[in-house]
Amino acid sequence: MTLIDQLKPHIFKKIIAETYKRSGFRVKITKGSHDYGVDVFAEKGKDKIYIQAKLYLKQKVNLKAV
């Protein structure tokens, strides 16, 4: 099992947010419910990115989730 496979989903979201923050983006992590599937907002200048993070070990992300 790799290190990333051992992460809790909320820690995974924080890592994604921190990665964008270190690249100069302003980031906001959503609370996790009623977020329309968005886990992290990242914004820099005119660029706005809406990120849906999935951390599945043995199952695939289906289209409905996306």
Side-chain angles (χ1 to χ4, degrees):
M1 181 180 290
T2 66
L3 182 60
I4 199 166
D5 293 334
Q6 299 174 41
L7 294 174
K8 301 286 184 204
H10 69 280
I11 300 297
F12 184 60
K13 285 197 287 188
K14 287 182 180 182
I15 290 170
I16 291 169
E18 184 63 26
T19 301
Y20 277 88
K21 186 176 179 180
R22 289 180 183 205
S23 295
F25 284 83
R26 289 180 300 165
V27 298
K28 180 182 175 190
I29 299 173
T30 62
K31 295 188 182 213
S33 60
H34 306 295
D35 60 10
Y36 300 101
V38 176
D39 295 309
V40 179
F41 294 104
E43 185 175 0
K44 180 165 63 170
K46 294 182 180 182
D47 295 329
K48 294 180 183 180
I49 301 172
Y50 304 90
I51 301 161
Q52 183 180 33
K54 296 291 184 198
L55 183 61
Y56 292 151
L57 300 177
K58 295 185 179 182
Q59 63 192 63
K60 294 180 180 180
V61 177
N62 63 38
L63 286 177
K64 187 175 181 181
V66 177

